[in-house]
């Protein structure tokens, strides 16, 4: 990456979601053309617009892509076309007659033809991926294509400059899109991941010193201890199991365990640690997240406690102090709260916390994304499956140019005249 990509002294707008680019976009101004020649004005406009539109495209390549003919459409009133053939437009010409103000046709807004100068660059695959909000910058979209994470019409495409045709469908790997558009991990989360990886490597090194004989002896000890442990105290049983599993991995041995036994022992230790990390008052020991959520959801509908007797003896004799217990009536939720809690559990199931992901979980959008979150008209995007369809080529309409650009008609017109000249 070239130096000063997001320069602040001489700002250039880029196709990126960076905060520096957003700051440069907020203070963009037309270049000072007062004391410059026409050649200098065209060259400056060309440099500014090329920094945004396809800065990865070589100049000679863009000169071959440039087209002086600009696609545009003019909406016509079908009722007027059916009622008249247009001959009344010449009626009274030269006679000095002025129609009434209410009879004057409303003028169409001007068509920004010059803003469509870089329409050929919008057909490129990397540009279409960035416009579809599947990548946070044009360079990241180009990287996705080169690394083979993009398919066009079901076939893997590794060429970022592939020219899309109307009707082509392209798809990006969903995990790549979540990483590109999601918020990055904080420094604390990255430090936690680093320590977890270090602990895992230490455990792997210890498991390499285990032997088959120790595993068999340890299995017998685990089974005997599990039988002797108190069935009413599952936490003590799990702790004893974890201690014996550690003794297997730490015992010296002349032979090493097979790879399958190492993997089973490692997964067994991880399962015990996850179970022991829960609260001591929790009895939800389901192995899968789905089972846990179903169990918690079923506990929402708590039946009220049975009615107490109103006898005289119960009123005279005070009840002995009881340990604090959660009453069923206190846990009873209203219909609105019940629905909100169920909805929150469903969202937690769809967007869980997963430290193994390279982005922050639960997933949330990247900072400063809202300023760039728009999709052009010539693309149809399905965010759930991370795919989009290139519907048609961008066109110019009265008052609207479908090619997104941060610059106005004057700057784009001067850049158009730069490439329009004969070389």
């Amino acid at each position: 990456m070239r130096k000063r990509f997001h320069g602040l002294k001489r700002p250039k707008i880029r196709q990126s979601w960076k905060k520096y680019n957003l700051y440069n976009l907020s203070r963009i101004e037309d270049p000072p053309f007062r004391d410059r020649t026409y050649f200098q004005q065209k060259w400056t406009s060309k440099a500014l617009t090329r920094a945004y539109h396809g800065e990865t495209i070589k100049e000679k390549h863009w000169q071959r892509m440039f087209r002086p003919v600009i696609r545009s459409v003019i909406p016509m009133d079908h009722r007027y076309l059916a009622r008249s053939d247009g001959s009344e437009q010449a009626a009274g010409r030269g006679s000095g007659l002025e129609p009434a103000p209410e009879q004057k046709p409303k003028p169409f807004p001007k068509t920004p033809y010059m803003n469509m100068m870089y329409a050929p660059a919008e057909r490129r695959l990397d540009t279409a991926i960035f416009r579809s909000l599947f990548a946070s910058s044009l360079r990241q979209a180009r990287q996705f294509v080169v690394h083979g994470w993009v398919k066009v019409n079901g076939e893997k495409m590794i060429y970022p400059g592939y020219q899309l045709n109307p009707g082509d469908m392209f798809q990006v790997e969903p995990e790549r899109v979540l990483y590109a558009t999601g918020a990055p991990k904080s420094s604390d989360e990255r430090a936690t991941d680093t320590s977890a990886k270090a602990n895992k490597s230490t455990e792997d090194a210890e498991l390499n010193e285990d032997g088959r004989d120790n595993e068999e002896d340890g299995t017998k000890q685990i089974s005997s201890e599990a039988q002797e442990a108190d069935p009413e105290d599952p936490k003590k049983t799990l702790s004893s199991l974890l201690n014996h599993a550690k003794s297997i991995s730490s015992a010296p041995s002349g032979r090493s365990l097979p790879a399958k036994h190492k993997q089973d022992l490692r997964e067994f230790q991880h399962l015990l640690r996850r179970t022991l990390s829960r609260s001591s008052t929790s009895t939800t020991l389901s192995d899968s997240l789905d089972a846990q959520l179903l169990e918690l959801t079923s506990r929402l509908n708590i039946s009220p406690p049975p009615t107490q007797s109103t006898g005289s003896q119960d009123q005279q004799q005070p009840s002995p102090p009881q340990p604090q217990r959660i009453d069923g009536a206190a846990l009873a939720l209203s219909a609105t709260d019940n629905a909100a809690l169920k909805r929150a559990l469903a969202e937690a199931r769809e967007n869980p916390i997963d430290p193994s992901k390279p982005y922050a979980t639960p997933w949330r959008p990247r900072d400063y994304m809202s300023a760039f979150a728009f999709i052009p008209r010539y693309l149809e995007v399905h965010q759930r499956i991370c795919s989009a369809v290139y519907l048609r080529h961008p066109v110019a309409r009265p008052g609207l140019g479908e090619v997104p650009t941060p610059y106005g008609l004057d700057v784009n017109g001067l850049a158009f005249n730069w490439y329009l000249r004969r070389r």
Side-chain angles (χ1 to χ4, degrees):
M1 182 179 293
R2 60 171 68 107
K3 296 180 180 180
R4 300 184 183 277
F5 185 72
H6 298 287
L8 300 179
K9 186 176 181 180
R10 294 183 179 180
K12 288 187 177 180
I13 310 302
R14 309 287 185 176
Q15 292 187 8
S16 173
W17 296 354
K18 292 287 187 180
K19 59 182 179 180
Y20 309 104
N21 190 50
L22 181 61
Y23 174 71
N24 290 335
L25 189 62
S26 65
R27 62 193 187 103
I28 185 175
E29 297 178 354
D30 291 337
F33 290 149
R34 179 177 300 178
D35 299 332
R36 298 186 181 183
T37 63
Y38 186 56
F39 178 87
Q40 292 174 340
Q41 294 177 15
K42 292 190 297 182
W43 190 90
T44 304
S45 301
K46 183 267 298 184
L48 291 175
T49 55
R50 285 281 285 120
Y52 178 81
H53 295 279
E55 51 92 14
T56 58
I57 306 174
K58 295 182 179 180
E59 185 66 19
K60 290 185 178 180
H61 187 194
W62 167 246
Q63 290 178 6
R64 293 192 298 268
M65 293 174 59
F66 174 75
R67 296 290 182 272
V69 179
I70 296 176
R71 294 185 176 91
S72 62
V73 293
I74 302 297
M76 302 295 291
D77 189 0
H78 61 280
R79 293 183 294 270
Y80 169 77
L81 295 177
R83 183 176 64 252
S84 176
D85 58 353
S87 60
E88 73 279 0
Q89 296 291 335
R93 180 173 295 178
S95 61
L97 299 177
E98 285 290 336
E102 62 273 6
Q103 296 180 357
K104 289 184 177 180
K106 296 182 179 180
F108 285 109
K110 294 183 178 180
T111 303
Y113 291 103
M114 294 295 98
N115 287 351
M116 299 295 298
M117 172 189 169
Y118 290 96
E122 299 296 316
R123 291 184 57 187
R124 289 173 58 93
L125 180 58
D126 54 355
T127 306
I129 291 173
F130 174 74
R131 298 296 187 195
S132 302
L133 306 181
F134 293 155
S136 61
S137 65
L138 183 64
R139 295 194 172 195
Q140 190 176 49
R142 183 184 181 89
Q143 184 187 44
F144 288 169
V145 178
V146 173
H147 288 187
W149 300 107
V150 180
K151 292 183 179 180
V152 177
N153 297 329
E155 300 291 336
K156 185 171 71 173
M157 178 58 62
I158 60 174
Y159 302 106
Y162 176 78
Q163 297 286 316
L164 295 172
N165 296 316
D168 285 349
M169 185 181 71
F170 56 93
Q171 184 176 6
V172 186
E173 187 69 23
E175 280 297 322
R176 299 295 97 191
V177 177
L178 291 175
Y179 169 73
T181 60
K185 289 186 176 181
S186 61
S187 58
D188 296 338
E189 293 175 342
R190 290 194 296 268
T192 304
D193 295 345
T194 304
S195 60
K197 291 180 180 178
N199 295 336
K200 184 177 181 181
S201 61
T202 304
E203 293 176 1
D204 295 342
E206 293 176 354
L207 288 175
N208 291 334
E209 301 176 357
D210 297 339
R212 186 188 300 272
D213 298 337
N214 291 334
E215 184 194 17
E216 296 176 356
D217 298 340
T219 305
K220 296 179 181 179
Q221 295 178 1
I222 290 173
S223 59
S224 61
E225 283 291 334
Q227 295 176 358
E228 297 175 0
D230 188 4
E232 297 181 357
D233 192 359
K235 196 173 186 66
K236 185 182 298 184
T237 304
L238 295 177
S239 300
S240 63
L241 291 176
L242 182 60
N243 293 333
H244 283 292
K246 289 181 179 180
S247 65
I248 294 175
S249 60
S250 60
S253 174
R255 294 181 300 174
S256 60
L257 286 174
K260 180 61 177 175
H261 293 180
K262 296 177 186 177
Q263 184 178 3
D264 294 341
L265 185 59
R266 192 184 306 117
E267 291 179 356
F268 180 67
Q269 291 180 355
H270 290 337
L271 177 61
L272 291 177
R273 289 193 184 94
R274 286 197 302 268
T275 307
L276 290 172
S277 64
R278 298 169 182 164
S279 176
S280 59
T281 59
S282 175
T283 59
T284 306
L285 299 178
S286 304
D287 293 337
S288 63
L289 180 61
D290 295 340
Q292 295 178 27
L293 291 175
L294 289 176
E295 188 172 355
L296 290 174
T297 306
S298 63
R299 293 184 181 183
L300 293 177
N301 298 324
I302 303 174
S303 58
T307 57
Q308 298 178 358
S309 60
T310 58
S312 59
Q313 295 180 358
D314 296 341
Q315 295 178 359
Q316 294 176 2
Q317 298 179 358
S319 59
Q322 299 290 339
Q324 293 183 358
R325 297 181 59 185
I326 301 177
D327 196 1
L331 291 178
L333 302 176
S334 62
T336 304
D337 296 340
N338 196 354
L341 188 54
K342 287 185 178 181
R343 185 167 56 253
L345 290 175
E347 293 177 357
R349 181 179 181 274
E350 294 180 358
N351 192 10
I353 298 177
D354 190 356
S356 62
K357 300 296 183 181
Y359 47 85
T361 53
W363 187 91
R364 60 183 183 275
R366 184 182 289 269
D367 294 337
Y368 310 104
M369 177 182 174
S370 59
F372 307 95
F374 66 92
I375 298 175
R377 293 188 175 187
Y378 53 86
L379 292 174
E380 185 71 25
V381 182
H382 197 301
Q383 299 291 350
R384 285 189 174 271
I385 60 176
C386 300
S387 64
V389 178
Y390 185 79
L391 300 176
R392 52 177 173 77
H393 300 310
V395 296
R397 304 175 182 273
L400 174 65
E402 291 186 349
V403 174
T405 177
Y407 299 101
L409 289 173
D410 297 336
V411 177
N412 284 304
L414 291 171
F416 183 82
N417 290 332
W418 170 272
Y419 290 105
L420 193 61
R421 67 175 186 173
R422 295 182 179 180
R423 298 184 179 276

